[in-house]
């Protein structure tokens, strides 16, 4: 019997909501203005025309051409502007390009699914053209309606609906995709499943919030309905899945306005800091945890905080046919050797807890049940670092890792800040090593970003509901994200891999994010963010050579930004002057402003907006 989410009354409500959405779309009040700049595709010399429709007259002329263009060295941008990629490249993801990865297969460890990881092509094989939207692309539906409905034409792929419709991942509904909130192990809705997990982790006395869960890592997340339905509990989830046979699952998640990125747990550390999650969730995530002496389980152990949970909803937890009993026995052995404790097994789910038990750890290491990692394995940033089959000796205490309840932890000063050195902006156009973050600096950083966010929204002249997916490309300790806490947004806090690990401090504040090197494209689909914030990002990458040029980073910003999305750039005048010169060639509009920085000096702040254009 289906749950209440699927009864007649709910169905009538959904139909009414759908009618309201479609009506509001045509009046332009609910989804915004759909005026478009079109690119007629006649020849390789096709030009841009500003037009609300393909047949409008009196349009302005743009000179950018449609042409498949690769990155050349030295980099030169034509006087006509940056070329536009042909329409078939509308989902181009440079470091997850199947065609390129297929050329590497003979050198990859396919038994460990290495082909699912990032593989960035050399510079000369990367496209250097603006990625176009697909045919009939519409401005995304706004949050919170987007949790349940997105435009079909924006993610026009039917495979998931065909193979997962029976599990209520996604259904086709005329011009829309509808997400009922189901999943492989919760086809009657994520809410009931989440409550069951709460009961299992609290011995039937509470929910996941009372179990101490603040941040979750969802492995093989599908369309991220699990994450979406954790939000009412104020639980932040980093969802990831590979670009595999479940095509476009991450694109669906991001189009819905849910935090997600492309990634795979395979041969390298995941791009998240150690001791960052109270729960790792795997619901039929198609990861062979029992293989290779449990090397992938050991990576989960690195990411879990003490007293954190591993939730495993998969056939080995409940089926006794085929090879499932053998797999289960291996999992029990490996987790026991890692000093995890199986605390619950119910319906189709098993849950382990990572115990704080140093005596167990030392005893099992002495019995050679696992190898102990060298200290350097857990130092620096978790970026492009090969996995090792070893366990990290963690000397931190669980009491110091417990986060206060949200939202108090956003403003809580952690003892980790006191010992943290970092690369920072000195106000003299140089990145230098700055001393640890004292509590006074921590508080002033919070106050500063609260003021800046107020300025930003005034300068952008938008409503709070106009922006949902946000990325802070150089997040430092997450002050910008904290300042957005009361806004209906989620923020991907990115810490450049060439800087010190301040991402641990970001996770200690109850926020989410990832390490990344902006000399390479990010692991996401095109058109996935409404707002990009770049605070002295370009100056950090100055003089880093080809691939890290200002134009390379701008091209990647354009790829991942939605049409009519915003970019906020704070930089010195030399860099902002260069950006002002070439922004029109990327089809960006911009305004230049001055705002006071933390050193009471004036920063140049560029507010750029990506034009809405399409190839016709």
């Amino acid at each position: 019997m289906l749950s209440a989410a699927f009864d007649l009354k709910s169905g009538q409500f959904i139909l009414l909501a759908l009618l309201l959405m479609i009506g509001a779309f045509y009046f332009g009040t609910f989804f915004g203005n759909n005026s478009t700049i079109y690119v007629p595709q006649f020849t390789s010399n096709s030009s841009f025309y500003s037009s609300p429709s393909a047949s409008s007259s009196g349009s302005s002329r743009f000179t950018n051409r449609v042409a498949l263009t690769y990155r050349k060295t030295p980099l030169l941008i034509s006087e006509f502007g940056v070329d536009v990629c042909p329409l078939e490249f509308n989902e181009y993801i440079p470091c997850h390009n199947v065609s390129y990865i297929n050329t590497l297969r003979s050198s990859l460890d396919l038994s460990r699914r290495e082909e699912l990881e990032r593989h960035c092509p050399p510079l000369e094989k990367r496209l250097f053209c603006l990625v176009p939207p697909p045919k009939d692309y519409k401005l995304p539906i706004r949050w919170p309606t987007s949790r349940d409905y997105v435009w079909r034409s924006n993610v026009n792929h039917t495979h998931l609906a065909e193979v997962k419709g029976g599990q209520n991942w996604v259904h086709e509904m005329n011009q829309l995709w509808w997400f009922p909130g189901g999943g492989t192990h919760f086809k009657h809705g994520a809410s009931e499943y989440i409550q069951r997990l709460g009961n299992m982790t609290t011995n039937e006395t509470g929910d996941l919030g009372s179990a101490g869960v603040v941040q979750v890592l969802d492995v093989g997340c599908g369309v991220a309905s699990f994450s979406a339905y954790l939000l009412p509990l104020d639980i932040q989830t980093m969802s990831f899945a590979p670009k595999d046979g479940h095509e476009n699952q991450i694109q669906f998640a991001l189009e819905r306005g849910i935090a997600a990125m492309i990634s795979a747990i395979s041969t390298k550390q995941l791009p998240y800091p150690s001791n960052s999650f109270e729960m790792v969730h795997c619901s039929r995530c198609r990861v062979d945890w029992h293989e290779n002496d449990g090397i992938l389980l050991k990576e989960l152990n690195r990411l879990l905080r003490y007293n954190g949970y591993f939730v495993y909803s998969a056939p080995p937890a409940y089926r006794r046919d085929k090879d499932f009993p053998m797999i289960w026995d291996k999992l029990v052995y490996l987790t026991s050797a890692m000093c995890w404790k199986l605390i619950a097994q119910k319906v189709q789910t098993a849950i382990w807890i990572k115990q704080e038990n140093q005596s167990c750890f030392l005893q099992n290491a002495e019995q050679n049940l696992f190898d102990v990692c060298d200290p350097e394995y857990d130092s620096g940033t978790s970026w492009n670092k090969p996995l090792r089959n070893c366990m990290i000796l963690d000397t931190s205490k669980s009491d110091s890792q417990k986060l206060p309840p949200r939202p108090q932890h956003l403003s809580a000063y952690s003892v980790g800040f006191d010992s943290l050195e970092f690369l920072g902006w000195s106000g003299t156009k140089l990145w230098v090593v700055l001393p640890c973050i004292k509590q006074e600096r921590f508080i002033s950083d919070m106050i500063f970003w609260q003021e800046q966010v107020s300025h930003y929204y005034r300068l952008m002249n938008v409503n709070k509901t106009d922006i949902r997916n946000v990325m802070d490309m150089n997040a430092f300790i997450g002050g910008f994200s904290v300042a957005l806490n009361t806004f209906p947004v989620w923020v991907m806090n990115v810490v450049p891999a060439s800087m010190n690990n301040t991402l641990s401090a970001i996770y200690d504040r109850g926020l989410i994010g990832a390490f990344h090197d902006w000399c390479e494209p990010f692991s996401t689909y095109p058109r996935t963010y409404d707002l990009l914030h770049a605070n002295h990002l370009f100056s950090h990458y100055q003089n880093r050579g080809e691939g890290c040029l200002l134009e390379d980073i701008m091209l990647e910003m354009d790829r991942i930004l939605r049409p009519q999305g915003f970019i906020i750039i704070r930089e010195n005048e030399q860099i902002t002057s260069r950006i002002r010169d070439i922004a029109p060639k990327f089809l960006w509009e911009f305004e230049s402003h001055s705002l006071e920085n933390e050193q009471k000096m004036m920063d140049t702040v560029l507010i750029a907006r990506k034009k809405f254009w399409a190839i016709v």
Side-chain angles (χ1 to χ4, degrees), residues 394-444:
D394 188 356
T395 57
S396 62
K397 299 296 183 183
S398 61
D399 286 346
S400 65
Q401 292 182 315
K402 287 181 180 177
L403 297 179
R406 189 177 175 92
Q408 289 93 323
H409 59 243
L410 294 170
S411 55
Y413 179 77
S414 167
V415 293
F417 287 110
D418 199 43
S419 59
L420 183 67
E421 289 186 345
F422 59 94
L423 287 173
W425 180 250
S426 68
T428 59
K429 301 183 182 180
L430 293 172
W431 283 92
V432 297
V433 176
L434 297 177
C436 57
I437 304 168
K438 299 298 183 183
Q439 190 162 9
E440 296 79 7
R441 171 74 196 282
F442 176 81
I443 293 172
S444 69

Side-chain angles (χ1 to χ4, degrees), residues 61 162 204 304 351 364 386 418 442 459 476 567 573 575:
R61 183 178 180 86
E162 293 165 357
E204 309 293 330
L304 273 174
I351 300 180
N364 288 1
D418 199 43
F442 176 81
L459 294 173
F476 183 36
I567 302 172
E573 179 57 30
I575 291 175

Side-chain angles (χ1 to χ4, degrees), residues 65-82:
R65 299 169 297 184
V66 178
L68 187 62
T69 308
Y70 288 87
R71 175 66 159 79
K72 296 179 180 178
T73 304
L75 176 62
L76 295 174
I77 296 180
S78 164
E79 60 179 311
F80 301 110
V82 180

Side-chain angles (χ1 to χ4, degrees), residues 284-333:
R284 196 75 74 93
C285 61
R286 306 204 299 179
V287 175
D288 294 326
W289 303 108
H290 63 289
E291 296 287 8
N292 299 300
D293 198 27
I295 188 171
L296 301 183
L297 285 174
K298 294 179 176 73
E299 172 64 356
L300 296 192
N301 189 77
R302 179 184 74 84
L303 295 168
L304 273 174
R305 301 183 195 269
Y306 277 131
N307 299 314
Y309 305 98
F310 174 47
V311 176
Y312 180 68
S313 297
Y318 61 92
R319 287 179 57 176
R320 293 295 173 261
D321 59 332
K322 300 182 179 179
D323 292 334
F324 297 131
M326 177 271 294
I327 294 172
W328 176 254
D329 289 343
K330 280 189 175 182
L331 287 173
V332 170
Y333 170 78

Side-chain angles (χ1 to χ4, degrees), residues 200 208 402 421 431 476 489-490 546 548 614:
M200 293 172 71
L208 290 179
K402 287 181 180 177
E421 289 186 345
W431 283 92
F476 183 36
V489 305
W490 68 271
E546 294 292 335
C548 311

Side-chain angles (χ1 to χ4, degrees), residues 538-563:
F538 292 96
S539 50
H540 175 69
Y541 282 94
Q542 266 188 312
N543 305 317
R544 290 281 300 275
E546 294 292 335
C548 311
L549 301 183
L550 179 147
E551 293 87 347
D552 293 307
I553 298 174
M554 288 179 67
L555 183 73
E556 178 61 4
M557 294 168 95
D558 186 86
R559 186 185 74 86
I560 68 178
L561 189 66
R562 288 171 166 174

Side-chain angles (χ1 to χ4, degrees), residues 252-496:
F252 276 118
L254 289 160
E255 186 72 14
R256 297 174 71 187
I258 303 169
M261 65 182 291
I262 301 170
S263 191
I265 182 166
S266 178
T267 70
K268 295 183 176 67
Q269 286 185 354
L270 291 169
Y272 318 118
S274 300
N275 305 312
S276 293
F277 300 95
E278 290 83 23
M279 176 179 284
V280 176
H281 176 252
C282 163
S283 174
R284 196 75 74 93
C285 61
R286 306 204 299 179
V287 175
D288 294 326
W289 303 108
H290 63 289
E291 296 287 8
N292 299 300
D293 198 27
I295 188 171
L296 301 183
L297 285 174
K298 294 179 176 73
E299 172 64 356
L300 296 192
N301 189 77
R302 179 184 74 84
L303 295 168
L304 273 174
R305 301 183 195 269
Y306 277 131
N307 299 314
Y309 305 98
F310 174 47
V311 176
Y312 180 68
S313 297
Y318 61 92
R319 287 179 57 176
R320 293 295 173 261
D321 59 332
K322 300 182 179 179
D323 292 334
F324 297 131
M326 177 271 294
I327 294 172
W328 176 254
D329 289 343
K330 280 189 175 182
L331 287 173
V332 170
Y333 170 78
L334 290 166
T335 52
S336 298
M338 294 163 53
C339 301
W340 289 10
K341 181 181 178 182
L342 182 64
I343 61 167
Q345 191 172 3
K346 184 178 179 181
V347 190
Q348 299 179 343
T349 301
I351 300 180
W352 284 267
I353 189 170
K354 176 184 174 180
Q355 301 180 99
E356 184 181 9
N357 191 338
Q358 292 290 7
S359 62
C360 173
F361 184 99
L362 295 173
Q363 179 180 337
N364 288 1
E366 188 175 341
Q367 294 177 5
N368 295 318
L369 297 183
F370 56 78
D371 294 328
V372 178
C373 303
D374 297 330
E376 59 87 20
Y377 180 63
D378 195 35
S379 62
T381 58
S382 305
W383 174 253
N384 208 29
K385 187 180 289 186
L387 286 179
R388 296 183 190 173
N389 208 331
C390 59
M391 293 276 287
I392 295 168
L393 178 59
D394 188 356
T395 57
S396 62
K397 299 296 183 183
S398 61
D399 286 346
S400 65
Q401 292 182 315
K402 287 181 180 177
L403 297 179
R406 189 177 175 92
Q408 289 93 323
H409 59 243
L410 294 170
S411 55
Y413 179 77
S414 167
V415 293
F417 287 110
D418 199 43
S419 59
L420 183 67
E421 289 186 345
F422 59 94
L423 287 173
W425 180 250
S426 68
T428 59
K429 301 183 182 180
L430 293 172
W431 283 92
V432 297
V433 176
L434 297 177
C436 57
I437 304 168
K438 299 298 183 183
Q439 190 162 9
E440 296 79 7
R441 171 74 196 282
F442 176 81
I443 293 172
S444 69
D445 181 80
M446 278 198 305
I447 295 172
F448 172 76
W449 285 113
Q450 287 170 355
E451 294 172 347
Q452 299 311 300
V453 165
S454 177
H455 291 314
Y456 289 164
Y457 272 74
R458 174 178 55 82
L459 294 173
M460 289 188 293
N461 192 27
V462 294
N463 297 319
K464 287 185 178 181
T465 56
D466 290 340
I467 292 173
R468 173 62 185 171
N469 298 355
V470 179
M471 177 185 282
D472 193 357
M473 301 175 70
N474 183 20
F476 183 36
I477 59 172
F480 175 68
S481 180
V482 170
L484 287 168
N485 177 54
T486 59
F487 290 62
V489 305
W490 68 271
V491 182
M492 176 71 79
N493 292 282
V494 178
V495 171

